[in-house]
Amino acid sequence: MSSGRTMTNLVTVIGRGVPSNYEISVDGDIEPVAADSLEETTVVSEHAVEGTIETGVHRFQFSGELANVHVLDWNGTPASESPSTPEVHIDYGVPGRKNNS
């Protein structure tokens, strides 16, 4: 799936107990860290993912810079206006993260 670029950046989506949707896009490549993330996540392209989360954590490794994050709760209310939307954490330069494909 990836172009072989080193993916040292990490984005983590943490559910808050309410079904929510998220979309994440980057200017490089992005892919799930664990295969179980694929069960609830749709990889739209090499540069974007979208999915749903209620509880738990979804992690994605990516190269380049984060371009956009959009999260909505089950009513379609955006993150800034709803305490139920997932938390999103971005970490750049995570040591030891390399693409194995």
Side-chain angles (χ1 to χ4, degrees):
M1 172 192 321
S2 118
S3 65
R5 293 168 70 178
T6 300
M7 294 193 189
T8 59
N9 306 320
L10 184 67
V11 60
T12 304
V13 181
I14 304 168
R16 291 189 174 172
V18 175
S20 301
N21 297 317
Y22 61 86
E23 298 174 8
I24 301 166
S25 59
V26 300
D27 68 359
D29 297 322
I30 188 167
E31 62 187 29
V33 170
D36 58 334
S37 294
L38 289 173
E39 292 175 17
E40 298 179 37
T41 304
T42 302
V43 177
V44 178
S45 73
E46 291 181 0
H47 308 290
V49 295
E50 67 179 43
T52 59
I53 190 168
E54 183 171 350
T55 59
V57 175
H58 293 178
R59 287 187 178 92
F60 303 91
Q61 58 189 7
F62 67 98
S63 61
E65 296 289 324
L66 189 70
N68 189 31
V69 174
H70 188 68
V71 290
L72 301 170
D73 71 10
W74 65 284
N75 287 319
T77 306
S80 60
E81 299 171 18
S82 172
S84 301
T85 56
E87 288 185 47
V88 178
H89 298 273
I90 297 101
D91 297 299
Y92 286 97
V94 179
R97 287 238 176 253
K98 298 204 189 249
N99 183 22
N100 295 326
S101 33

